Amino acid sequence: MNPAEIDEARAQAQALIAACSEPNALKDLERRYLGKSGVLAGWLAGIPALPPAERPQLGQAVNRLKRELGELIVARSAALEKEAFERDAAAGTFDPTLPPPGVERGHLHPLTQLTREVEDLFVSMGYQVADGPEIETDWNNFEALNIPPDHPARDSQDTFYLDGPGPLVLRTHTSPVQIRALTRLAPPLRVIAPGKVFRHEATDASHEHTFHQLEGLVVDKHVSVAHLIHSMKTLLRGIFRKDVEVRLRPGFFPFVEPGFELDARCPFCTSGCSVCKQTRWIELLPCGLVHPNVLKAGGVDPDEWSGFAFGLGLSRLVMLRYGINDVRLLLGGDLRFLEQF
Ligand code: PHE
């Protein structure tokens, strides 16, 4: 190799690149000159064998050529792409609205899909969708919900306490949004509030420290358990696309009186299955009539108004709907799981 040879290769390569009209042919040229076993790599490999005095000059010349040819190829490749684009555009065969090839379209998380569906359902029944912060005041999360500091109900909803102007907690349920709605909106009101909640849990297939609930609150004149049952049956018909029988069992929550656990007839079987554990009933949601102390805490007169509230476990509902057997999959971020929805 000598300077004349390098110049000759430059002239030849320049001409070939300029004349190249096909992306694959351009790739071949690139391989031929710049590839691992291409012309320039061969020269560079031969440099240590040259007399020491010639090495720097020739090494630099080859590297310069390498850079120049690289740039020429990139430019030619862009020009070819542009020509192809213009050809397609002129022929009317190019659809600029198509997504670029190789880009996969994402989709909504199953929890988000279900949340939106349930929101639509309640909005069609005249509810508004409310939002509350995930870091709540101790007052909204506990005290205003009839759970004073020494109440044993705090044990089952242990959470993280944060320093603030007053005590703050990672909210343990969406029920504090009841207090926010009561203090901000004048009754009559119908509100749902979906969102993330947190508990101090030892995690396993059915317990997670972070999960999703959807709170419901209706306050009006003469609201009764009958209204509550009707709304829940409407919800279930929307979700499972058929009429679902329900039953109420007594359940204790300090912020409702009376309080219930609402069970739904298992929508997946007629004679017992693994989802209902052969009982034909699925424990679906806790609910009840709003406790007068809660109405008072929200500035609403319990002698004039009454209401019902429910706490739908969104995570649980997603699991029921898709037969998911481990709650930790929901927020695990594993694409092999998420891509199935
Ligand atoms: N907030 C309660 C919980 O998370 C559920 C609930 C909501 C119960 C509304 C009754 C009424 O356990």
Side-chain angles (χ1 to χ4, degrees):
M1 170 221 346
N2 54 53
E5 228 178 321
I6 293 176
D7 285 341
E8 199 182 310
R10 171 182 288 107
Q12 195 189 30
Q14 280 171 348
L16 286 171
I17 291 168
C20 189
S21 60
E22 223 279 307
N24 280 333
L26 191 62
K27 284 241 152 44
D28 286 342
L29 278 178
E30 184 173 16
R31 256 191 304 276
R32 177 161 138 204
Y33 283 97
L34 305 179
K36 259 200 227 122
S37 36
V39 178
L40 272 63
W43 284 344
L44 286 173
I47 285 188
L50 296 174
E54 288 176 24
R55 285 181 206 163
Q57 196 206 347
L58 283 171
Q60 279 164 19
V62 176
N63 277 322
R64 195 178 326 118
L65 179 60
K66 193 169 159 185
R67 208 169 42 245
E68 285 171 15
L69 294 186
E71 282 164 9
L72 277 178
I73 287 169
V74 168
R76 186 69 195 135
S77 167
L80 286 179
E81 228 172 83
K82 187 157 172 263
E83 277 170 28
F85 176 88
E86 277 160 4
R87 230 181 3 257
D88 284 351
T93 55
F94 175 73
D95 179 354
T97 63
L98 282 178
V103 175
E104 274 180 48
R105 245 188 109 161
H107 64 82
L108 294 176
H109 191 285
L111 262 169
T112 311
Q113 295 179 27
L114 182 78
T115 306
R116 294 200 178 170
E117 228 175 273
V118 176
E119 279 178 5
D120 283 349
L121 212 75
F122 278 108
V123 166
S124 78
M125 293 193 267
Y127 285 68
Q128 51 183 312
V129 182
D131 207 6
E134 288 166 7
I135 296 176
E136 255 299 359
T137 59
D138 185 273
W139 168 261
N140 284 341
N141 194 83
F142 291 124
E143 287 221 33
L145 290 168
N146 213 20
I147 312 175
D150 54 357
H151 197 287
R154 290 212 180 197
D155 279 350
S156 58
Q157 299 203 2
D158 195 12
T159 183
F160 296 96
Y161 285 75
L162 301 135
D163 291 334
L168 295 173
V169 296
L170 289 190
R171 67 175 178 188
T172 58
H173 47 184
T174 42
S175 300
V177 187
Q178 288 190 32
I179 305 301
R180 292 178 175 270
L182 287 172
T183 44
R184 240 161 259 187
L185 308 168
L189 56 88
R190 296 178 199 185
V191 173
I192 52 163
K196 226 186 254 165
V197 303
F198 312 88
R199 300 219 183 145
H200 181 97
E201 293 281 3
T203 58
D204 62 26
S206 43
H207 296 91
E208 179 59 297
H209 50 69
T210 303
F211 55 101
H212 288 71
Q213 291 187 333
L214 182 135
E215 194 78 10
L217 174 69
V218 169
V219 177
D220 210 322
K221 305 246 158 139
H222 314 298
V223 173
S224 74
V225 177
H227 297 116
L228 168 63
I229 294 176
H230 176 265
S231 299
M232 295 305 101
K233 287 185 101 160
T234 309
L235 165 70
L236 289 170
R237 196 183 314 126
I239 293 173
F240 293 109
R241 314 217 186 289
K242 60 179 176 191
D243 284 317
V244 181
E245 197 188 336
V246 300
R247 73 174 182 191
L248 296 182
R249 288 176 292 119
F252 175 71
F253 303 91
F255 36 95
V256 286
E257 178 57 36
F260 308 104
E261 292 285 355
L262 182 137
D263 297 339
R265 256 299 175 216
C266 180
F268 304 108
C269 71
T270 49
S271 59
C273 68
S274 62
V275 179
C276 64
K277 303 199 184 80
Q278 313 304 330
T279 64
R280 293 286 290 113
W281 291 102
I282 292 178
E283 191 178 318
L284 196 76
L285 55 88
C287 53
L289 297 187
V290 183
H291 196 290
N293 287 354
V294 174
L295 292 173
K296 271 190 231 154
V300 172
D301 181 359
D303 291 329
E304 193 181 343
W305 303 96
S306 53
F308 67 76
F310 57 89
L312 181 66
L314 285 174
S315 305
R316 188 170 148 66
L317 200 59
V318 173
M319 292 171 72
L320 272 178
R321 172 184 261 191
Y322 295 111
I324 298 166
N325 58 12
D326 191 328
V327 63
R328 292 167 297 188
L329 289 167
L330 289 178
L331 299 181
D334 189 333
L335 287 180
R336 290 169 304 179
F337 168 74
L338 292 173
E339 276 165 359
Q340 297 176 49
F341 300 94

